[in-house]
Amino acid sequence: MFELMFTMLERLGIIVSIAFILTRLRFFRDMIQQDEITRKQQYSAIIFFGFFGIIGTYSGLAFSTDSLQFDRLTYDLTQEEALANSRVIGVVIGGLLGGYKVGIGAGLIAGIHRFSLGGFTDLACGLSAIVAGLIAGFFHKKNKHVTLSSAFLIGALTEAVQMLIILFVAKPFDQALTLVENIGIPMIIANGIGSALFLMIIRNLVGEEEKAGAVQAQKALRLAELTLAYLRKGLNSESAKETCSIIFREVEASAVAITNKELILAHVGLADDHHKELTDIQTDVTKKVIQSGELIIAGHKEIHCTRPNCPLKSVVIAPLKQRGQTIGTLKFYFKSEREITNVVIQLIKGLSSLLSNQLDMAEADRSYQLAKEAEIKALQAQISPHFLFNSLNIIVSLIRIDQNKARQLLIALSHFLRQNLAGTTQQWTSLENELRHVRAYLSIEEARFVDKLAVFYDIDDDLLKVRIPPLTLQPIVENAVKHGIKDKESDCKIVISIKKDSDNTLVTVQDNGKGMEKEQLDKIGHTFLPSEKSTGIGLYNVNRRLVMMIGEKSGLVIESQPEQGTTVSFRI
């Protein structure tokens, strides 16, 4: 018994070595990485594990129930002989990985082959191979993530079941009993160990793939971060060239290219000096990627490289999408199709998805910027109808009593309206222009508040060239006139100050009007405060544009106390 045990373990080393080599096959690696295998993969797995079962049969030892001796080689068996072998290992692993269909199919192949070798246990061993596949398939259903100890127990169980089948089916019974007594325990232990070792090889293979996948995922994220600054500008020749250069340095491909729907925007790597000769953008395979939005692997014929002896033999073409629509392709060229591993394909898929997300971000940025500009222009276009009506009424009243004054106010009103119109087409203006606009406005208001309103200027002339959003200062001054001093009978003052404050320019408008309560102070400039005579958007409008165009630190600062006036300031 111990001699058989050691011999079986010796043969098991051969089985494990063959298993290690076979698991390097691509179809096998693809199969074990998927939760659900395709019908084609099922057929391939049945043949694979059935063939492995045949290898286990041929690696066995012929045992004679008459002489109780083992022969080293297995060919045709006599009626007194049976086999001590590792046939069930392949069948068990096939059932555990592929389910009962793969297990039974592999068992049929291995069982029929064993039956053809003859011996008094031919039928029993043939049946037991099928039963082993069925048992292993049952455990595949119950637990897809089988542990090594479970694989050992399942392998040992199927071998134990085989011993029982031999006792019940093989004839004569005395020979069957002698066989089981001599080979039962060694085969149960050896095949249990073999099943666990085979599963360990597979788990190491999966671990290698997962580790490689993690490295590729990390690489894809790093590439996405490096290319973000370029692709956020959109898909063009410049951004495509920079992106291809970054990817080419990190990915083991012979060349990398990016196209739009019509042209190759950039090509980096082999044949980069002849990339215009790579006419694959016009071929059916690229059009198919653009139309379907799916990754495609193409051979040398589809590349259509017109360069003599072109080294590029295979290409992986992945779509680049924006808002769900394919707007171009990402291409990886290789010298051989063997270089296109499953890990490489997953990396390319990940990059395609990440770069597409960056293009979506670029489009979102552009849309946001357009919306922001549109909102700014809409805010700048706001003009108080009350001011216009009041100005015209003043001018009408002055035409009869002071024509020169009326003419001056018409010129001021004309300048005021012109500045408002210019503000809707300009993004920036100078403090000098803003002051000119304010003076035009105040000249009209001073005509309304005769001998009541006094305006004081404290201006640093060196700061008048500082740029600010148009229509910023005038609405603040207008707010002081309309809401700050409107109820005062006399001695109304407004002070406009532009001073240097450290590295900033501080602009301040101060009035000595009625001020406001804290509840109102907390809301003004941050929300609409409509009233019967106002839309309530003056300071809100200005504050919104300052924050959008300059930043949060440039927002309005409003200080006020009841009956003590209000100060509105902002920094540039």
Side-chain angles (χ1 to χ4, degrees):
M1 181 180 297
F2 289 106
E3 179 185 357
L4 176 60
M5 173 73 74
F6 291 127
T7 305
M8 288 287 294
L9 292 174
E10 176 189 305
R11 296 294 178 95
L12 196 58
I14 300 174
I15 295 293
V16 170
S17 299
I18 295 173
F20 178 80
I21 294 171
L22 292 180
T23 53
R24 301 294 107 177
L25 298 177
R26 172 173 289 187
F27 103 88
F28 186 81
R29 298 165 77 96
D30 292 342
M31 182 186 70
I32 64 174
Q33 288 171 345
Q34 300 179 18
D35 292 332
E36 297 291 336
I37 62 176
T38 64
R39 184 177 297 273
K40 181 179 179 181
Q41 287 175 326
Q42 279 186 339
Y43 293 144
S44 299
I46 288 171
I47 295 172
F48 174 88
F49 289 111
F51 174 71
F52 197 85
I54 292 173
I55 293 176
T57 298
Y58 277 124
S59 66
L61 301 170
F63 176 75
S64 173
T65 55
D66 287 342
S67 64
L68 301 182
Q69 297 296 317
F70 295 97
D71 292 329
R72 294 290 179 177
L73 298 177
T74 303
Y75 295 104
D76 292 333
L77 299 176
T78 65
Q79 194 60 28
E80 293 78 24
E81 290 182 324
L83 280 175
N85 58 77
S86 302
R87 178 176 56 256
V88 299
I89 294 176
V91 178
V92 166
I93 298 299
L96 288 176
L97 294 181
Y100 72 93
K101 290 182 180 179
V102 175
I104 293 175
L108 274 170
I109 294 174
I112 291 173
H113 171 263
R114 170 61 188 90
F115 180 78
S116 69
L117 295 179
F120 76 96
T121 61
D122 52 1
L123 179 59
C125 290
L127 288 174
S128 63
I130 300 172
V131 173
L134 185 63
I135 293 172
F138 173 80
F139 285 100
H140 166 82
K141 287 183 178 181
K142 294 296 183 182
N143 186 3
K144 293 185 178 181
H145 304 287
V146 182
T147 63
L148 295 181
S149 59
S150 297
F152 171 81
L153 293 175
I154 294 168
L157 172 64
T158 55
E159 191 59 49
V161 170
Q162 179 175 245
M163 294 299 110
L164 290 176
I165 293 175
I166 289 174
L167 290 175
F168 282 105
V169 176
K171 301 298 181 183
F173 177 78
D174 292 342
Q175 284 185 326
L177 181 60
T178 301
L179 176 69
V180 170
E181 287 176 345
N182 282 274
I183 71 171
I185 293 177
M187 284 188 63
I188 289 171
I189 296 174
N191 285 321
I193 294 174
S195 298
L197 288 175
F198 198 165
L199 185 65
M200 184 175 67
I201 292 172
I202 293 172
R203 289 180 61 176
N204 287 338
L205 175 63
V206 173
E208 290 174 8
E209 295 287 347
E210 290 178 348
K211 183 178 179 180
V215 171
Q216 298 296 351
Q218 186 179 18
K219 182 182 291 186
L221 290 172
R222 184 171 67 252
L223 288 173
E225 182 179 2
L226 292 173
T227 58
L228 178 61
Y230 301 103
L231 283 182
R232 290 192 74 165
K233 299 175 183 178
L235 188 61
N236 52 54
S237 298
E238 181 182 355
S239 63
K241 184 176 181 180
E242 294 294 340
T243 300
C244 285
S245 299
I246 293 170
I247 294 175
F248 179 72
R249 290 194 297 266
E250 297 287 337
V251 178
E252 295 179 0
S254 299
V256 179
I258 290 179
T259 78
N260 58 21
K261 286 186 176 182
E262 293 82 25
L263 302 171
I264 297 176
L265 298 177
H267 179 103
V268 177
L270 282 180
D272 57 351
D273 55 336
H274 293 79
H275 78 268
K276 291 182 179 179
E277 300 175 11
L278 294 167
T279 58
D280 53 320
I281 187 59
Q282 301 169 357
T283 62
D284 291 340
V285 65
T286 303
K287 291 178 181 177
K288 187 175 180 181
V289 172
I290 292 174
Q291 292 171 0
S292 67
E294 300 294 335
L295 180 144
I296 292 180
I297 302 174
H300 182 257
K301 292 182 179 179
E302 286 80 7
I303 295 178
H304 285 227
C305 179
T306 59
R307 178 183 179 183
N309 301 319
C310 180
L312 306 177
K313 304 300 181 183
S314 297
V315 62
V316 180
I317 307 175
L320 291 175
K321 299 181 180 181
Q322 194 172 73
R323 292 185 176 181
Q325 300 296 318
T326 303
I327 63 168
T329 62
L330 175 64
K331 301 186 175 187
F332 291 79
Y333 295 92
F334 298 89
K335 293 181 181 179
S336 169
E337 189 175 350
R338 290 192 299 271
E339 297 178 9
I340 307 174
T341 64
N342 186 63
V343 173
V344 169
I345 292 174
Q346 294 304 317
L347 172 62
I348 294 173
K349 286 182 177 179
L351 276 176
S352 170
S353 177
L354 288 170
L355 297 185
S356 295
N357 287 338
Q358 290 183 357
L359 291 172
D360 277 340
M361 291 169 63
E363 179 67 15
D365 282 348
R366 282 195 296 271
S367 298
Y368 172 74
Q369 190 62 35
L370 289 173
K372 183 177 175 182
E373 291 175 3
E375 181 179 358
I376 289 171
K377 293 189 182 300
L379 291 171
Q380 289 174 176
Q382 299 290 341
I383 181 170
S384 170
H386 296 286
F387 170 75
L388 182 59
F389 296 149
N390 290 336
S391 301
L392 292 174
N393 287 334
I394 294 169
I395 293 169
V396 168
S397 66
L398 287 172
I399 285 176
R400 292 182 180 180
I401 60 176
D402 191 342
Q403 293 179 357
N404 288 333
K405 185 65 173 177
R407 184 170 62 251
Q408 291 174 3
L409 291 183
L410 273 174
I411 294 172
L413 179 61
S414 173
H415 178 78
F416 176 82
L417 294 175
R418 189 181 299 113
Q419 285 292 103
N420 272 279
L421 182 61
T424 63
T425 59
Q426 297 174 346
Q427 190 171 9
W428 297 95
T429 188
S430 65
L431 277 172
E432 185 176 13
N433 285 335
E434 281 292 285
L435 271 177
R436 192 179 295 119
H437 191 205
V438 167
R439 286 191 169 100
Y441 166 76
L442 286 175
S443 64
I444 298 171
E445 291 297 343
E446 285 173 327
R448 288 179 59 201
F449 300 99
V450 180
D451 299 327
K452 176 182 175 181
L453 174 62
V455 181
F456 301 92
Y457 297 91
D458 186 9
I459 308 298
D460 187 341
D461 292 338
D462 294 336
L463 301 175
L464 292 180
K465 299 301 181 183
V466 173
R467 298 201 313 159
I468 65 170
L471 303 180
T472 298
L473 187 55
Q474 183 274 330
I476 299 175
V477 175
E478 181 179 349
N479 191 76
V481 173
K482 289 169 59 177
H483 303 290
I485 63 174
K486 69 174 183 175
D487 295 330
K488 286 178 70 73
E489 295 297 329
S490 61
D491 192 30
C492 300
K493 294 180 181 179
I494 292 178
V495 180
I496 301 173
S497 171
I498 300 176
K499 291 293 183 181
K500 191 74 173 177
D501 179 31
S502 184
D503 294 331
N504 303 319
T505 298
L506 178 64
V507 180
T508 305
V509 177
Q510 183 178 8
D511 67 67
N512 63 343
K514 64 178 182 179
M516 66 186 83
E517 299 288 345
K518 186 177 185 305
E519 182 180 355
Q520 185 181 16
L521 181 63
D522 292 338
K523 294 180 180 179
I524 194 166
H526 302 288
T527 185
F528 292 117
L529 295 174
S531 64
E532 294 180 359
K533 296 183 180 181
S534 170
T535 61
I537 66 172
L539 294 185
Y540 172 83
N541 189 330
V542 172
N543 186 59
R544 178 106 172 110
R545 284 187 289 120
L546 285 170
V547 170
M548 289 174 68
M549 299 180 70
I550 303 178
E552 291 286 343
K553 294 183 179 179
S554 291
L556 293 181
V557 177
I558 304 174
E559 300 171 326
S560 183
Q561 291 184 5
E563 307 304 328
Q564 295 186 28
T566 300
T567 300
V568 179
S569 63
F570 62 90
R571 282 179 170 79
I572 304 169

